[in-house]
Protein backbone atom coordinates (compact mmCIF):
# COMPACT_ATOMS: atom_id res chain seq x y z
CA UNK A 1 0.00 0.00 0.00
CA UNK A 2 2.91 2.33 0.81
CA UNK A 3 4.49 1.76 -2.59
CA UNK A 4 1.12 2.28 -4.31
CA UNK A 5 0.53 5.68 -2.67
CA UNK A 6 4.09 6.75 -3.55
CA UNK A 7 3.67 5.65 -7.18
CA UNK A 8 0.34 7.50 -7.47
CA UNK A 9 1.91 10.61 -5.94
CA UNK A 10 4.86 10.50 -8.36
CA UNK A 11 2.52 9.95 -11.33
CA UNK A 12 0.31 12.91 -10.37
CA UNK A 13 3.33 15.17 -9.98
CA UNK A 14 4.77 14.02 -13.33
CA UNK A 15 1.47 14.96 -15.01
CA UNK A 16 1.54 18.32 -13.19
CA UNK A 17 5.16 18.89 -14.27
CA UNK A 18 4.35 18.23 -17.94
CA UNK A 19 1.32 20.56 -17.70
CA UNK A 20 3.52 23.26 -16.17
CA UNK A 21 6.09 22.97 -18.96
CA UNK A 22 3.30 23.14 -21.57
CA UNK A 23 1.85 26.31 -20.03
CA UNK A 24 5.29 28.00 -19.95
CA UNK A 25 5.98 27.04 -23.58
CA UNK A 26 2.59 28.38 -24.75
CA UNK A 27 3.21 31.63 -22.84
CA UNK A 28 6.66 31.96 -24.43
CA UNK A 29 5.18 31.28 -27.87
CA UNK A 30 2.68 34.13 -27.40
CA UNK A 31 5.47 36.42 -26.19
CA UNK A 32 7.87 35.83 -29.08
CA UNK A 33 5.44 35.11 -31.92
CA UNK A 34 2.85 37.70 -30.98
CA UNK A 35 -0.90 37.24 -31.13
CA UNK A 36 -4.22 38.96 -30.70
CA UNK A 37 -5.06 41.10 -27.68
CA UNK A 38 -7.11 38.19 -26.33
CA UNK A 39 -4.15 35.83 -26.57
CA UNK A 40 -1.75 38.33 -24.99
CA UNK A 41 -4.15 38.70 -22.07
CA UNK A 42 -3.61 34.99 -21.33
CA UNK A 43 0.18 35.21 -21.44
CA UNK A 44 0.84 36.23 -17.83
CA UNK A 45 -1.73 33.87 -16.22
CA UNK A 46 -0.32 30.98 -18.28
CA UNK A 47 3.25 31.83 -17.28
CA UNK A 48 2.41 32.14 -13.58
CA UNK A 49 0.37 28.92 -13.62
CA UNK A 50 3.12 27.06 -15.50
CA UNK A 51 5.89 28.20 -13.15
CA UNK A 52 3.78 27.35 -10.09
CA UNK A 53 2.98 23.85 -11.39
CA UNK A 54 6.64 23.29 -12.27
CA UNK A 55 7.81 24.46 -8.85
CA UNK A 56 5.25 22.39 -6.94
CA UNK A 57 5.85 19.27 -9.05
CA UNK A 58 9.60 19.56 -8.51
CA UNK A 59 9.05 19.81 -4.76
CA UNK A 60 6.72 16.80 -4.79
CA UNK A 61 9.06 14.64 -6.87
CA UNK A 62 12.09 15.64 -4.79
CA UNK A 63 10.30 14.89 -1.53
CA UNK A 64 8.98 11.51 -2.69
CA UNK A 65 11.96 10.21 -4.68
CA UNK A 66 14.61 11.45 -2.23
CA UNK A 67 12.39 10.64 0.78
CA UNK A 68 12.84 14.15 2.14
CA UNK A 69 10.08 14.92 4.63
CA UNK A 70 11.25 18.53 4.99
CA UNK A 71 10.61 19.14 1.29
CA UNK A 72 7.28 17.32 1.51
CA UNK A 73 6.31 19.47 4.50
CA UNK A 74 6.87 22.61 2.39
CA UNK A 75 4.94 20.99 -0.49
CA UNK A 76 1.99 20.05 1.70
CA UNK A 77 1.93 23.46 3.40
CA UNK A 78 1.67 25.22 0.03
CA UNK A 79 -1.04 22.77 -1.07
CA UNK A 80 -2.98 23.45 2.13
CA UNK A 81 -3.00 27.22 1.52
CA UNK A 82 -3.85 26.59 -2.15
CA UNK A 83 -6.93 24.60 -1.11
CA UNK A 84 -7.99 27.40 1.26
CA UNK A 85 -7.44 29.98 -1.51
CA UNK A 86 -9.46 27.98 -4.04
CA UNK A 87 -12.34 27.62 -1.57
CA UNK A 88 -12.34 31.38 -0.87
CA UNK A 89 -12.19 32.20 -4.59
CA UNK A 90 -15.05 29.80 -5.38
CA UNK A 91 -17.26 31.39 -2.71
CA UNK A 92 -16.29 34.86 -3.99
CA UNK A 93 -17.12 33.87 -7.60
CA UNK A 94 -20.60 32.74 -6.58
CA UNK A 95 -21.16 35.97 -4.59
CA UNK A 96 -20.10 38.46 -7.31
CA UNK A 97 -22.15 36.63 -9.96
CA UNK A 98 -25.32 36.64 -7.88
CA UNK A 99 -28.33 37.72 -9.93
CA UNK A 100 -29.40 41.27 -8.95
CA UNK A 101 -32.29 41.50 -11.42
CA UNK A 102 -34.89 40.29 -8.92
CA UNK A 103 -35.77 37.35 -11.14
CA UNK A 104 -36.28 39.44 -14.29
CA UNK A 105 -34.41 38.22 -17.38
CA UNK A 106 -32.53 41.29 -18.67
CA UNK A 107 -29.11 39.83 -19.54
CA UNK A 108 -27.87 43.02 -21.24
CA UNK A 109 -28.98 45.43 -18.52
CA UNK A 110 -25.87 46.88 -16.87
CA UNK A 111 -27.44 47.64 -13.49
CA UNK A 112 -28.28 43.98 -12.88
CA UNK A 113 -24.64 43.08 -12.20
CA UNK A 114 -22.53 43.53 -9.08
CA UNK A 115 -20.44 46.67 -8.63
CA UNK A 116 -17.30 44.55 -8.42
CA UNK A 117 -17.89 43.10 -11.89
CA UNK A 118 -18.66 46.52 -13.35
CA UNK A 119 -15.67 48.22 -11.71
CA UNK A 120 -13.22 45.53 -12.80
CA UNK A 121 -14.39 44.77 -16.33
CA UNK A 122 -16.41 47.55 -17.97
CA UNK A 123 -14.72 50.75 -16.78
CA UNK A 124 -11.54 52.57 -17.78
CA UNK A 125 -8.59 50.69 -19.26
CA UNK A 126 -10.16 47.32 -18.49
CA UNK A 127 -12.99 48.03 -20.89
CA UNK A 128 -10.61 49.37 -23.51
CA UNK A 129 -8.70 46.08 -23.39
CA UNK A 130 -11.89 44.02 -23.62
CA UNK A 131 -13.23 46.17 -26.46
CA UNK A 132 -9.95 45.78 -28.34
CA UNK A 133 -10.19 42.04 -27.82
CA UNK A 134 -13.76 41.98 -29.19
CA UNK A 135 -12.74 43.95 -32.27
CA UNK A 136 -9.70 41.69 -32.75
CA UNK A 137 -11.91 38.62 -32.48
CA UNK A 138 -14.26 40.11 -35.15
CA UNK A 139 -17.37 39.23 -33.16
CA UNK A 140 -19.53 41.39 -35.44
CA UNK A 141 -18.26 40.02 -38.75
CA UNK A 142 -20.20 37.69 -41.04
CA UNK A 143 -23.56 38.33 -39.38
CA UNK A 144 -25.33 39.41 -42.57
CA UNK A 145 -27.25 36.17 -43.07
CA UNK A 146 -27.19 34.93 -39.49
CA UNK A 147 -30.46 34.51 -37.65
CA UNK A 148 -30.50 37.19 -34.95
CA UNK A 149 -32.05 34.72 -32.50
CA UNK A 150 -28.78 32.75 -32.67
CA UNK A 151 -26.58 35.74 -31.87
CA UNK A 152 -24.69 35.63 -28.59
CA UNK A 153 -25.42 38.17 -25.85
CA UNK A 154 -22.22 40.00 -26.78
CA UNK A 155 -23.19 40.15 -30.47
CA UNK A 156 -26.72 41.34 -29.76
CA UNK A 157 -25.42 44.03 -27.39
CA UNK A 158 -22.35 45.19 -29.33
CA UNK A 159 -23.17 44.68 -33.01
CA UNK A 160 -26.56 46.41 -33.29
CA UNK A 161 -28.34 49.28 -31.56
CA UNK A 162 -31.05 48.56 -28.95
CA UNK A 163 -34.43 47.71 -30.45
CA UNK A 164 -36.16 50.75 -28.99
CA UNK A 165 -33.87 53.25 -30.72
CA UNK A 166 -35.31 55.20 -33.66
CA UNK A 167 -33.18 54.15 -36.60
CA UNK A 168 -32.65 55.32 -40.09
CA UNK A 169 -31.80 52.18 -42.05
CA UNK A 170 -28.66 52.53 -44.10
CA UNK A 171 -28.56 48.91 -45.32
CA UNK A 172 -29.88 45.48 -44.36
CA UNK A 173 -27.43 44.91 -41.51
CA UNK A 174 -26.58 48.32 -40.10
CA UNK A 175 -28.30 51.53 -39.16
CA UNK A 176 -27.49 55.08 -38.24
CA UNK A 177 -28.99 56.80 -35.22
CA UNK A 178 -31.94 58.88 -36.29
CA UNK A 179 -32.27 62.56 -35.77
CA UNK A 180 -35.00 62.45 -33.13
CA UNK A 181 -37.58 60.41 -31.34
CA UNK A 182 -38.26 59.83 -27.69
CA UNK A 183 -36.21 56.66 -27.55
CA UNK A 184 -33.03 58.45 -28.56
CA UNK A 185 -33.45 60.95 -25.74
CA UNK A 186 -34.21 58.28 -23.14
CA UNK A 187 -31.19 56.07 -23.66
CA UNK A 188 -27.59 57.07 -24.38
CA UNK A 189 -27.03 53.89 -26.43
CA UNK A 190 -29.15 55.37 -29.22
CA UNK A 191 -26.66 58.22 -29.57
CA UNK A 192 -23.59 56.07 -28.98
CA UNK A 193 -24.36 53.66 -31.81
CA UNK A 194 -22.53 54.16 -35.11
CA UNK A 195 -22.55 52.16 -38.32
CA UNK A 196 -18.75 52.40 -38.55
CA UNK A 197 -17.34 48.84 -38.25
CA UNK A 198 -14.71 49.85 -35.71
CA UNK A 199 -17.26 51.55 -33.47
CA UNK A 200 -20.75 50.02 -33.84
CA UNK A 201 -22.15 49.76 -30.30
CA UNK A 202 -18.92 48.80 -28.51
CA UNK A 203 -19.34 51.76 -26.12
CA UNK A 204 -23.02 51.02 -25.48
CA UNK A 205 -24.33 49.98 -22.08
CA UNK A 206 -26.01 47.05 -23.79
CA UNK A 207 -22.60 45.87 -25.05
CA UNK A 208 -21.07 46.11 -21.58
CA UNK A 209 -24.10 44.28 -20.21
CA UNK A 210 -23.63 41.51 -22.77
CA UNK A 211 -19.96 41.17 -21.84
CA UNK A 212 -20.84 41.00 -18.14
CA UNK A 213 -23.48 38.36 -18.88
CA UNK A 214 -20.83 36.29 -20.67
CA UNK A 215 -18.32 36.82 -17.85
CA UNK A 216 -20.96 35.86 -15.29
CA UNK A 217 -21.64 32.59 -17.09
CA UNK A 218 -17.92 31.83 -17.43
CA UNK A 219 -17.27 32.59 -13.77
CA UNK A 220 -20.14 30.32 -12.72
CA UNK A 221 -18.67 27.52 -14.84
CA UNK A 222 -15.19 28.27 -13.46
CA UNK A 223 -16.55 28.15 -9.90
CA UNK A 224 -18.03 24.71 -10.57
CA UNK A 225 -14.76 23.56 -12.15
CA UNK A 226 -12.95 24.89 -9.09
CA UNK A 227 -14.93 22.46 -6.97
CA UNK A 228 -13.50 19.64 -9.09
CA UNK A 229 -10.00 21.15 -8.84
CA UNK A 230 -10.35 21.40 -5.06
CA UNK A 231 -11.30 17.70 -4.94
CA UNK A 232 -8.23 16.75 -7.05
CA UNK A 233 -5.85 18.91 -4.99
CA UNK A 234 -7.34 17.49 -1.81
CA UNK A 235 -6.66 13.95 -3.07
CA UNK A 236 -3.05 14.92 -3.89
CA UNK A 237 -2.73 16.44 -0.41
CA UNK A 238 -4.00 13.24 1.25
CA UNK A 239 -1.72 11.04 -0.87
CA UNK A 240 1.19 13.39 -0.07
CA UNK A 241 0.49 12.98 3.65
CA UNK A 242 0.59 9.20 3.15
CA UNK A 243 3.93 9.46 1.32
CA UNK A 244 5.36 11.59 4.13
CA UNK A 245 4.23 9.02 6.68
CA UNK A 246 5.72 6.24 4.53
CA UNK A 247 9.05 8.08 4.44
CA UNK A 248 9.02 8.37 8.21
CA UNK A 249 8.25 4.65 8.54
CA UNK A 250 11.02 3.70 6.09
CA UNK A 251 13.47 5.84 8.00
CA UNK A 252 12.48 4.18 11.27
CA UNK A 253 12.88 0.71 9.75
CA UNK A 254 16.32 1.58 8.39
CA UNK A 255 17.38 3.05 11.71
CA UNK A 256 16.16 -0.03 13.60
CA UNK A 257 17.98 -2.35 11.20
CA UNK A 258 21.19 -0.34 11.60
CA UNK A 259 20.88 -0.33 15.41
CA UNK A 260 20.41 -4.09 15.52
CA UNK A 261 23.31 -4.77 13.14
CA UNK A 262 25.95 -6.84 15.02
CA UNK A 263 29.17 -5.04 15.83
CA UNK A 264 32.17 -6.32 13.97
Amino acid sequence: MARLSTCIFILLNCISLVSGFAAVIISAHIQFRGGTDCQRALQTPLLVTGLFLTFMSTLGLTGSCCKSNRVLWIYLSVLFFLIIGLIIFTIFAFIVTTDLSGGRAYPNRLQDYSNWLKNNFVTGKNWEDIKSCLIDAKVCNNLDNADITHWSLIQSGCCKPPKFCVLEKSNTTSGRAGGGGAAAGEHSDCLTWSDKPEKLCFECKSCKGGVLASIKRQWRVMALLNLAVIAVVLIIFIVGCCVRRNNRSDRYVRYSAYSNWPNN
Side-chain angles (χ1 to χ4, degrees):
M1 189 64 183
R3 286 186 177 181
L4 178 61
S5 60
T6 301
C7 290
I8 292 174
F9 186 74
I10 291 174
L11 176 62
L12 291 173
N13 278 279
C14 285
I15 295 173
S16 176
L17 184 63
V18 172
S19 301
F21 281 144
V24 171
I25 291 172
I26 293 172
S27 176
H29 177 79
I30 295 173
Q31 169 67 28
F32 294 110
R33 291 295 184 90
T36 65
D37 288 345
C38 300
Q39 292 172 334
R40 286 193 293 271
L42 295 174
Q43 179 185 334
T44 301
L46 275 174
L47 179 61
V48 172
T49 302
L51 292 176
F52 178 78
L53 288 175
T54 302
F55 171 73
M56 288 298 294
S57 302
T58 303
L59 281 182
L61 291 172
T62 301
S64 57
C65 295
C66 299
K67 299 187 181 300
S68 173
N69 276 354
R70 290 184 179 179
V71 174
L72 279 179
W73 184 87
I74 296 173
Y75 176 88
L76 294 173
S77 298
V78 176
L79 272 192
F80 174 77
F81 287 110
L82 176 62
I83 292 170
I84 298 299
L86 287 172
I87 292 173
I88 293 173
F89 176 78
T90 302
I91 294 173
F92 174 76
F94 278 116
I95 291 174
V96 299
T97 56
T98 300
D99 188 9
L100 301 180
S101 63
R104 298 182 300 274
Y106 299 125
N108 285 53
R109 205 169 71 166
L110 198 57
Q111 60 266 36
D112 289 340
Y113 300 95
S114 68
N115 288 330
W116 189 90
L117 283 179
K118 288 185 284 189
N119 292 336
N120 286 275
F121 290 101
V122 296
T123 57
K125 185 179 182 299
N126 294 331
W127 177 247
E128 291 301 316
D129 292 340
I130 291 175
K131 183 175 70 172
S132 176
C133 180
L134 293 176
I135 295 173
D136 246 2
K138 301 178 180 179
V139 296
C140 293
N141 286 18
N142 303 319
L143 296 177
D144 294 6
N145 300 318
D147 186 349
I148 195 170
T149 58
H150 295 149
W151 287 17
S152 67
L153 291 173
I154 292 178
Q155 289 173 327
S156 62
C158 303
C159 304
K160 64 180 181 64
K163 293 180 180 179
F164 51 78
C165 293
V166 179
L167 294 176
E168 179 183 297
K169 294 290 287 183
S170 61
N171 54 49
T172 58
T173 59
S174 65
R176 186 176 287 104
E186 291 171 0
H187 202 295
S188 60
D189 282 0
C190 300
L191 301 176
T192 304
W193 157 259
S194 170
D195 60 357
K196 295 180 180 179
E198 70 279 3
K199 188 174 180 181
L200 297 178
C201 214
F202 287 115
E203 289 294 342
C204 296
K205 293 178 181 178
S206 60
C207 181
K208 295 179 179 180
V211 169
L212 288 182
S214 178
I215 290 173
K216 176 183 173 181
R217 288 181 178 179
Q218 293 170 5
W219 272 51
R220 279 298 174 104
V221 171
M222 184 168 57
L224 294 174
L225 290 176
N226 263 0
L227 295 176
V229 172
I230 291 170
V232 172
V233 176
L234 190 58
I235 291 172
I236 296 175
F237 180 82
I238 294 172
V239 176
C241 289
C242 293
V243 172
R244 189 167 184 267
R245 185 184 60 191
N246 296 338
N247 289 350
R248 190 183 300 121
S249 299
D250 289 345
R251 182 177 298 176
Y252 176 78
V253 170
R254 288 197 304 270
Y255 176 77
S256 299
Y258 177 79
S259 300
N260 295 328
W261 190 263
N263 293 325
N264 293 328

